[in-house]
Amino acid sequence: MEDGRPSAEAGLFALEAVVVGQPKRSRWRRYLGPALAVSTVAGTPLAQVTYTDDTHCFMTDASGERVVRIEQFGPAEFRFTDATDQEVGTASTGRFAKTWQLRLGTVQGRRLFLTRRGPLSTEWQLTETDPDQGPAPEVLGRVTVSTVDAWIGLQQYVVETAPALDTSERRTVIASVICLHLLRRPPGSSSAPA
């Protein structure tokens, strides 16, 4: 910011580890809160995600300011824009099953891959090259999926990134985890993940 303080957006995306998850809710009452919450690993709230319809959602910081808008095109193509409607990243699937790999594009043009190694794996690896196209690439991050409430089927994603990633790249990775959740469990679908 102009006054020398870092923006909330920079603080959110400067962290090397965050948790993206479905907030806990009552089993007996209709839930009206955000679709997803972003917090520190210790549980401090950082942002929340709200669906506006089946193809758009917003991530807002703790003050309510929009930091990322996610638009879905077709079955599995996403575009990320910032508060000024400038494109800041993309995510899409390849020719494989929709939840095995996401190809990410950052604002600088860097290509990243978020890949699950098998259908039963709960870990996704972030790499700069496609792990299926050659020798094992350097792992730049991990996303670990867990179920925090088996009866309702609430999911949580722990996102860990390497110090080498900058804030704009982390923004793309966190937005892609939201897309991953949308692909695994779209709004209004059953509680069973894909």
Side-chain angles (χ1 to χ4, degrees):
M1 291 185 111
E2 293 163 2
D3 62 5
R5 291 179 299 157
S7 69
E9 179 180 343
L12 166 63
F13 301 123
L15 298 172
E16 292 176 16
V18 297
V19 177
V20 178
Q22 293 177 281
K24 293 189 178 180
R25 56 200 71 179
S26 169
R27 295 177 179 140
W28 298 278
R29 294 184 194 172
R30 185 168 182 233
Y31 177 73
L32 300 174
L36 296 170
V38 182
S39 64
T40 64
V41 174
T44 303
L46 299 169
Q48 62 184 27
V49 177
T50 306
Y51 302 131
T52 57
D53 57 37
D54 286 345
T55 59
H56 295 84
C57 64
F58 292 95
M59 181 191 305
T60 54
D61 65 19
S63 69
E65 294 293 317
R66 186 182 86 179
V67 289
V68 177
R69 177 181 184 214
I70 299 172
E71 293 179 80
Q72 183 173 357
F73 301 95
E77 247 181 275
F78 301 89
R79 183 176 83 125
F80 315 138
T81 55
D82 64 12
T84 63
D85 289 326
Q86 297 295 310
E87 185 172 311
V88 294
T90 60
S92 62
T93 60
R95 58 185 168 79
F96 300 109
K98 68 180 182 179
T99 57
W100 282 54
Q101 184 179 77
L102 283 177
R103 294 176 301 200
L104 314 180
T106 67
V107 71
Q108 298 93 347
R110 186 176 186 185
R111 303 297 297 170
L112 298 170
F113 294 86
L114 193 58
T115 308
R116 181 167 64 167
R117 299 309 303 162
L120 300 178
S121 177
T122 59
E123 181 181 277
W124 297 69
Q125 292 184 343
L126 180 69
T127 59
E128 197 165 7
T129 57
D130 187 341
D132 296 327
Q133 300 298 317
E138 176 187 4
V139 176
L140 300 172
R142 288 182 171 76
V143 176
T144 307
V145 183
S146 61
T147 300
V148 293
D149 186 322
W151 197 62
I152 298 177
L154 301 180
Q155 298 292 295
Q156 172 179 282
Y157 304 81
V158 177
V159 183
E160 301 170 285
T161 56
L165 294 181
D166 67 23
T167 57
S168 67
E169 292 166 335
R170 286 195 182 100
R171 174 178 52 204
T172 298
V173 172
I174 293 170
S176 72
V177 171
I178 294 165
C179 298
L180 178 65
H181 179 77
L182 290 169
L183 290 171
R184 296 181 77 233
R185 183 173 303 153
S189 72
S190 72
S191 62

